[in-house]
Amino acid sequence: MIEAFIFDLDGVITDTANYHYLAWKALGDKLGIKIDEEFNETLKGISRMESLERILIYGNKQNDFTVKEKEKMANDKNQYYVELIKNISPKDILPGIEKLLKDIKSNNIKIGLASASKNATMVLENLGLKESFDFIADASKCKNSKPNPEIFLMAAKGLGINPINCIGVEDAIAGIDAINDANMYSVGVGDESSLGKANIVFSDTNKLNFKYIVENYSCCSNC
Ligand code: BG6
Ligand code: MG
């Protein structure tokens, strides 16, 4: 029985995934590391510091900087990112999301957030959606970045729901792995060929359909 939906934020609720990309790209340009959309896919869902480490390895500069220098780089990226998102508002909620949240609520199912972003609460506030969430897992308390299931398990615990009765919604490959390893039912949003490990995939948020998800979940748990 479904008792909770647990959402990723960036790229699912709103298109901030693109702003993360732009901010990392700007840092990459400064460092002489070219970050394209394909490499960016491997950063989706990954925490700030781990993303930086991956970028440095990608550019073969993993041994070039001190911890302090890396902290400054991550901080600069974040400042640029915060600048990019400061004007986001309810009009930036991705299509289909408000309807899905409404359908979930009207069926008395809980809603949680499992984002790796330390900016998540601010983004939800700007979107006017904070009150729609019954629990927001705190990324700063999460030790293991997705694909580790920790942040999804934190959200389920905070909601007081057994993971087996949770649906996780994600746009990142690392996020789908995290949901599956948390023993939740996984819903992917995006390209079916890269999110193939999800229980079901919708090509974009506008196609998310509460009834369809519930029917497929029941079928899955019966067979
Ligand atoms: C995830 C994004 O939601 O949050 C990643 O998909 C991002 O791209 C991560 O790096 C951490 O975000 P922040 O806002 O804490 O730097
Ligand atoms: Mg995401």
Side-chain angles (χ1 to χ4, degrees):
M1 191 181 118
I2 300 173
E3 290 184 277
F5 270 67
I6 300 179
F7 288 85
D8 172 47
L9 175 71
D10 298 316
V12 172
I13 305 281
T14 182
D15 197 17
T16 34
N18 190 44
Y19 294 131
H20 279 295
Y21 170 51
L22 292 176
W24 284 128
K25 208 165 140 55
L27 179 79
D29 287 347
K30 270 198 224 156
L31 296 172
I33 303 173
K34 194 174 162 357
I35 296 170
D36 58 18
E37 288 197 40
E38 196 188 337
F39 174 65
N40 184 60
E41 281 303 308
T42 68
L43 300 179
K44 285 189 176 170
I46 308 299
S47 72
R48 197 181 305 164
M49 278 319 277
E50 204 177 317
S51 296
L52 176 62
E53 296 292 352
R54 288 187 185 205
I55 290 167
L56 294 176
I57 292 169
Y58 182 67
N60 203 18
K61 292 185 189 291
Q62 64 272 36
N63 299 318
D64 294 6
F65 303 100
T66 63
V67 172
K68 259 212 146 65
E69 285 169 330
K70 288 195 265 190
E71 276 168 4
K72 178 163 185 326
M73 284 180 217
N75 207 29
D76 288 350
K77 179 267 172 181
N78 190 53
Q79 273 183 18
Y80 184 40
Y81 174 72
V82 169
E83 188 61 31
L84 289 172
I85 62 167
K86 85 171 181 242
N87 293 323
I88 64 170
S89 69
K91 68 174 175 11
D92 295 299
I93 300 169
L94 282 168
I97 292 297
E98 281 171 293
K99 160 105 177 63
L100 178 61
L101 293 174
K102 217 171 126 218
D103 289 344
I104 297 168
K105 269 262 138 76
S106 59
N107 281 278
N108 287 320
I109 295 170
K110 292 216 154 83
I111 302 177
L113 193 84
S115 169
S117 174
K118 292 177 180 149
N119 295 297
T121 303
M122 178 182 71
V123 171
L124 283 185
E125 270 165 4
N126 289 357
L127 295 172
L129 283 181
K130 188 164 171 259
E131 303 315 317
S132 303
F133 285 77
D134 298 294
F135 185 78
I136 298 168
D138 184 350
S140 67
K141 298 212 173 93
C142 179
K143 290 191 192 73
N144 302 293
S145 191
K146 297 170 189 175
N148 189 291
E150 186 177 348
I151 194 89
F152 279 94
L153 293 173
M154 276 168 73
K157 195 168 177 209
L159 291 168
I161 309 281
N162 187 330
I164 206 93
N165 297 327
C166 294
I167 308 271
V169 188
E170 262 285 353
D171 69 319
I173 302 164
I176 295 294
D177 286 340
I179 296 170
N180 291 342
D181 280 356
N183 257 327
M184 298 179 184
Y185 185 82
S186 52
V187 174
V189 182
D191 181 18
E192 180 141 28
S193 59
S194 52
L195 300 177
K197 284 196 253 169
N199 292 113
I200 35 172
V201 180
F202 296 90
S203 57
D204 61 67
T205 55
N206 212 5
K207 305 240 163 62
L208 283 163
N209 181 313
F210 176 76
K211 204 163 156 253
Y212 188 79
I213 297 171
V214 173
E215 281 166 7
N216 274 272
Y217 172 87
S218 332
C219 158
C220 182
S221 45
N222 286 339
C223 47

